[in-house]
Amino acid sequence: MDRKRRYEELLNNMNQYNSGTEGITRVAFTNEEQACSHAFMRLCKNEGLEIRMDYCGNIIAKREGKNKEFPPVVIGSHLDTVYQGGKYDGAVGVTAGLEVIKRLNEQRIETEHPIEIISFACEESSRFGVSTVGSKAMAGTLQKEKYQHLKDKDGITFEKALSLCALRFDQLGLASRAQERFKAFFELHIEQGPILMNNDKKIGIVTGIAAPVRLIIEIKGAASHSGTTPMNMRKDALLGASELALALEEAAKREQHNGTVATIGVLSIPMGAMNVVPGMVEMKVDIRSTSVTSRNKVLDALYKRMERIKEVRGLEIRAQEISKEDPVQLSEELSLKVERICLEKELPYQWMQSGAGHDAMNMTSLGPVGLIFIPSFNGISHHPDEHTDLEDILKGIDVLEAAVLEQAIGV
């Protein structure tokens, strides 16, 4: 079987695990995600890798090197998706790691350093509003006290979701590898934006990753009958939320020259009805930038508008910050090596920043990190229409293989 067909079958194998009717829904700590993870483990075992799942549900598949004491060269990404997402986000990076191992095995190449593939748990924030949970746990930076009582849209707590996967919330800290050191960490990922496609480039060499601050905002007014409550006597939580949403947009636009963006991805009205003035609204807010100063300006503007809305509309507003991460800069040395590989392979490339967060950002405390992007058709991602050409994926794997091999062979 040629490499193209082999890889296509591998990717399709992973994407058969799906609870959605449109796109791919393989949300963290669900039956589909766990089934996919175990299928991946079996495929890794078939390649002679040592397999384990850590206390956060991260899968670690290891190919031994000649020297077992040498630090590993690591390839990582994730298998979970958003609701009704695409089949490339995350899954490409994990399956690319296995394809690299298959190539080394078929060529009978031994490396000095061990090579690991890691499939990180709960990279996406779609279920609980928190992202890159598995890589944070591995890096030893997980603030689990913020997570215990978070709930998904069905009311299942984070702690309960773990228990249904035979994982224990009180043992998450045991997933930490903060005392270890990686020789290098690489992640191959679709761009999730239009830059590479628009500029006719095949490889993005990522220099830095923006980081989000995420909040859950609860706005409380007074539910009342829509037909009998005069307009000047209402405490409409939804109107307060709408005003806050527009204020957030306005603040983010003032900072767009810094690449700062802000999004309200979830707005819900518990017990809402057509003939009831909304008494309660919950919003989930994501503000991100590669500039902490710029991001904080947007956050400060949001808090100031909250105070004004509380006063003018007579509403109660409570904001809970569920995550706040720092932007990271990636390894210049590894980036330059990836650039050299692109030149040798005559692949058009571009230096760029990542507006989306990735597990790679949490691995910088364990060793040098390289993040490689491949094109996304029309920049579409987190959507059933997400697409990356198979030929572009294979070019990315070629670059990944060369970068990993260079690090794993050298001392």
Short mmCIF file of all heavy atoms in Angstrom, two decimals, residues 311-336:
data_model
loop_
_atom_site.label_atom_id
_atom_site.label_comp_id
_atom_site.label_asym_id
_atom_site.label_seq_id
_atom_site.Cartn_x
_atom_site.Cartn_y
_atom_site.Cartn_z
N GLU A 311 -25.64 49.42 36.93
CA GLU A 311 -26.20 50.65 37.50
C GLU A 311 -27.41 51.14 36.71
O GLU A 311 -28.46 51.46 37.28
CB GLU A 311 -25.12 51.73 37.51
CG GLU A 311 -25.60 53.06 38.08
CD GLU A 311 -24.51 54.11 38.06
OE1 GLU A 311 -23.33 53.77 37.79
OE2 GLU A 311 -24.83 55.30 38.28
N VAL A 312 -27.30 51.18 35.39
CA VAL A 312 -28.35 51.75 34.56
C VAL A 312 -29.57 50.83 34.47
O VAL A 312 -30.72 51.27 34.53
CB VAL A 312 -27.81 52.07 33.15
CG1 VAL A 312 -28.94 52.51 32.23
CG2 VAL A 312 -26.73 53.15 33.22
N ARG A 313 -29.32 49.52 34.34
CA ARG A 313 -30.42 48.58 34.12
C ARG A 313 -30.88 47.86 35.39
O ARG A 313 -31.84 47.10 35.36
CB ARG A 313 -30.02 47.55 33.07
CG ARG A 313 -29.84 48.14 31.68
CD ARG A 313 -29.61 47.04 30.64
NE ARG A 313 -29.57 47.58 29.27
CZ ARG A 313 -30.62 47.78 28.51
NH1 ARG A 313 -31.84 47.47 28.98
NH2 ARG A 313 -30.51 48.28 27.28
N GLY A 314 -30.18 48.07 36.49
CA GLY A 314 -30.58 47.43 37.73
C GLY A 314 -30.41 45.93 37.72
O GLY A 314 -31.20 45.19 38.32
N LEU A 315 -29.37 45.46 37.04
CA LEU A 315 -29.12 44.03 36.92
C LEU A 315 -27.97 43.60 37.84
O LEU A 315 -27.12 44.41 38.23
CB LEU A 315 -28.75 43.67 35.48
CG LEU A 315 -29.78 44.03 34.40
CD1 LEU A 315 -29.19 43.79 33.02
CD2 LEU A 315 -31.06 43.23 34.59
N GLU A 316 -27.95 42.32 38.15
CA GLU A 316 -26.81 41.74 38.85
C GLU A 316 -25.94 41.03 37.82
O GLU A 316 -26.45 40.29 36.98
CB GLU A 316 -27.27 40.72 39.90
CG GLU A 316 -28.12 41.31 41.02
CD GLU A 316 -28.59 40.23 41.98
OE1 GLU A 316 -27.89 39.19 42.10
OE2 GLU A 316 -29.65 40.40 42.60
N ILE A 317 -24.65 41.29 37.87
CA ILE A 317 -23.73 40.65 36.92
C ILE A 317 -22.56 40.06 37.69
O ILE A 317 -21.90 40.74 38.47
CB ILE A 317 -23.21 41.65 35.86
CG1 ILE A 317 -24.38 42.33 35.13
CG2 ILE A 317 -22.30 40.94 34.87
CD1 ILE A 317 -23.94 43.34 34.09
N ARG A 318 -22.34 38.78 37.43
CA ARG A 318 -21.22 38.09 38.08
C ARG A 318 -20.36 37.45 37.00
O ARG A 318 -20.86 36.72 36.14
CB ARG A 318 -21.74 37.02 39.04
CG ARG A 318 -20.64 36.30 39.82
CD ARG A 318 -21.26 35.40 40.88
NE ARG A 318 -22.04 34.33 40.28
CZ ARG A 318 -21.54 33.15 39.91
NH1 ARG A 318 -20.25 32.91 40.09
NH2 ARG A 318 -22.31 32.23 39.39
N ALA A 319 -19.05 37.74 37.04
CA ALA A 319 -18.11 37.20 36.06
C ALA A 319 -17.15 36.24 36.74
O ALA A 319 -16.54 36.58 37.77
CB ALA A 319 -17.34 38.32 35.38
N GLN A 320 -17.02 35.06 36.18
CA GLN A 320 -16.08 34.06 36.69
C GLN A 320 -15.01 33.80 35.64
O GLN A 320 -15.31 33.37 34.54
CB GLN A 320 -16.81 32.75 37.03
CG GLN A 320 -15.87 31.63 37.48
CD GLN A 320 -16.56 30.29 37.56
OE1 GLN A 320 -17.75 30.16 37.24
NE2 GLN A 320 -15.83 29.27 37.99
N GLU A 321 -13.79 34.07 35.99
CA GLU A 321 -12.68 33.83 35.08
C GLU A 321 -12.28 32.36 35.20
O GLU A 321 -11.83 31.91 36.25
CB GLU A 321 -11.50 34.72 35.45
CG GLU A 321 -10.36 34.71 34.47
CD GLU A 321 -9.26 35.67 34.89
OE1 GLU A 321 -9.44 36.89 34.76
OE2 GLU A 321 -8.23 35.18 35.39
N ILE A 322 -12.44 31.59 34.11
CA ILE A 322 -12.17 30.16 34.21
C ILE A 322 -10.81 29.79 33.63
O ILE A 322 -10.30 28.70 33.91
CB ILE A 322 -13.28 29.32 33.53
CG1 ILE A 322 -13.46 29.71 32.06
CG2 ILE A 322 -14.58 29.44 34.28
CD1 ILE A 322 -14.45 28.83 31.32
N SER A 323 -10.20 30.67 32.87
CA SER A 323 -8.82 30.43 32.43
C SER A 323 -8.21 31.74 31.96
O SER A 323 -8.91 32.61 31.42
CB SER A 323 -8.76 29.39 31.31
OG SER A 323 -9.34 29.87 30.12
N LYS A 324 -6.92 31.86 32.19
CA LYS A 324 -6.17 33.03 31.75
C LYS A 324 -4.75 32.57 31.46
O LYS A 324 -4.01 32.22 32.38
CB LYS A 324 -6.18 34.13 32.82
CG LYS A 324 -5.65 35.47 32.33
CD LYS A 324 -5.85 36.54 33.39
CE LYS A 324 -5.54 37.92 32.86
NZ LYS A 324 -5.79 38.96 33.88
N GLU A 325 -4.41 32.55 30.20
CA GLU A 325 -3.13 32.00 29.79
C GLU A 325 -2.25 33.08 29.17
O GLU A 325 -2.74 34.12 28.73
CB GLU A 325 -3.36 30.86 28.79
CG GLU A 325 -4.20 29.73 29.39
CD GLU A 325 -4.76 28.80 28.33
OE1 GLU A 325 -4.31 28.86 27.17
OE2 GLU A 325 -5.65 28.01 28.67
N ASP A 326 -0.97 32.81 29.16
CA ASP A 326 -0.01 33.76 28.61
C ASP A 326 0.36 33.36 27.19
O ASP A 326 0.58 32.17 26.91
CB ASP A 326 1.25 33.81 29.47
CG ASP A 326 0.99 34.39 30.84
OD1 ASP A 326 0.13 35.29 30.95
OD2 ASP A 326 1.64 33.95 31.81
N PRO A 327 0.48 34.32 26.28
CA PRO A 327 0.99 34.02 24.94
C PRO A 327 2.40 33.44 25.05
O PRO A 327 3.13 33.73 26.01
CB PRO A 327 1.01 35.38 24.25
CG PRO A 327 0.09 36.24 25.05
CD PRO A 327 0.18 35.75 26.45
N VAL A 328 2.78 32.60 24.10
CA VAL A 328 4.10 31.99 24.16
C VAL A 328 4.84 32.19 22.85
O VAL A 328 4.24 32.28 21.77
CB VAL A 328 4.02 30.47 24.47
CG1 VAL A 328 3.39 30.23 25.82
CG2 VAL A 328 3.25 29.73 23.39
N GLN A 329 6.15 32.27 22.96
CA GLN A 329 7.02 32.29 21.79
C GLN A 329 7.65 30.91 21.65
O GLN A 329 8.06 30.30 22.64
CB GLN A 329 8.09 33.36 21.95
CG GLN A 329 7.54 34.78 22.01
CD GLN A 329 6.71 35.14 20.79
OE1 GLN A 329 7.16 34.98 19.66
NE2 GLN A 329 5.51 35.65 21.02
N LEU A 330 7.71 30.42 20.43
CA LEU A 330 8.23 29.08 20.18
C LEU A 330 9.71 29.13 19.83
O LEU A 330 10.30 30.19 19.67
CB LEU A 330 7.42 28.43 19.06
CG LEU A 330 5.91 28.37 19.32
CD1 LEU A 330 5.20 27.65 18.19
CD2 LEU A 330 5.59 27.71 20.66
N SER A 331 10.32 27.96 19.73
CA SER A 331 11.77 27.85 19.56
C SER A 331 12.23 28.41 18.22
O SER A 331 11.84 27.91 17.16
CB SER A 331 12.19 26.38 19.69
OG SER A 331 13.52 26.20 19.26
N GLU A 332 13.08 29.42 18.28
CA GLU A 332 13.64 29.98 17.05
C GLU A 332 14.55 28.96 16.38
O GLU A 332 14.57 28.85 15.15
CB GLU A 332 14.42 31.25 17.37
CG GLU A 332 15.00 31.93 16.13
CD GLU A 332 15.75 33.20 16.45
OE1 GLU A 332 15.87 33.53 17.65
OE2 GLU A 332 16.23 33.86 15.50
N GLU A 333 15.28 28.19 17.18
CA GLU A 333 16.20 27.20 16.63
C GLU A 333 15.45 26.13 15.83
O GLU A 333 15.83 25.81 14.69
CB GLU A 333 16.99 26.53 17.75
CG GLU A 333 17.98 25.48 17.26
CD GLU A 333 18.71 24.79 18.38
OE1 GLU A 333 18.52 25.17 19.56
OE2 GLU A 333 19.49 23.85 18.09
N LEU A 334 14.36 25.59 16.40
CA LEU A 334 13.59 24.58 15.68
C LEU A 334 12.91 25.18 14.45
O LEU A 334 12.82 24.53 13.40
CB LEU A 334 12.55 23.94 16.59
CG LEU A 334 13.07 23.05 17.72
CD1 LEU A 334 11.90 22.38 18.44
CD2 LEU A 334 14.03 22.00 17.20
N SER A 335 12.44 26.41 14.58
CA SER A 335 11.79 27.07 13.44
C SER A 335 12.75 27.24 12.28
O SER A 335 12.39 27.04 11.11
CB SER A 335 11.23 28.43 13.87
OG SER A 335 10.19 28.28 14.81
N LEU A 336 14.00 27.59 12.58
CA LEU A 336 15.00 27.74 11.53
C LEU A 336 15.33 26.40 10.87
O LEU A 336 15.58 26.32 9.66
CB LEU A 336 16.27 28.38 12.10
CG LEU A 336 16.15 29.86 12.46
CD1 LEU A 336 17.37 30.32 13.24
CD2 LEU A 336 15.95 30.72 11.22
#
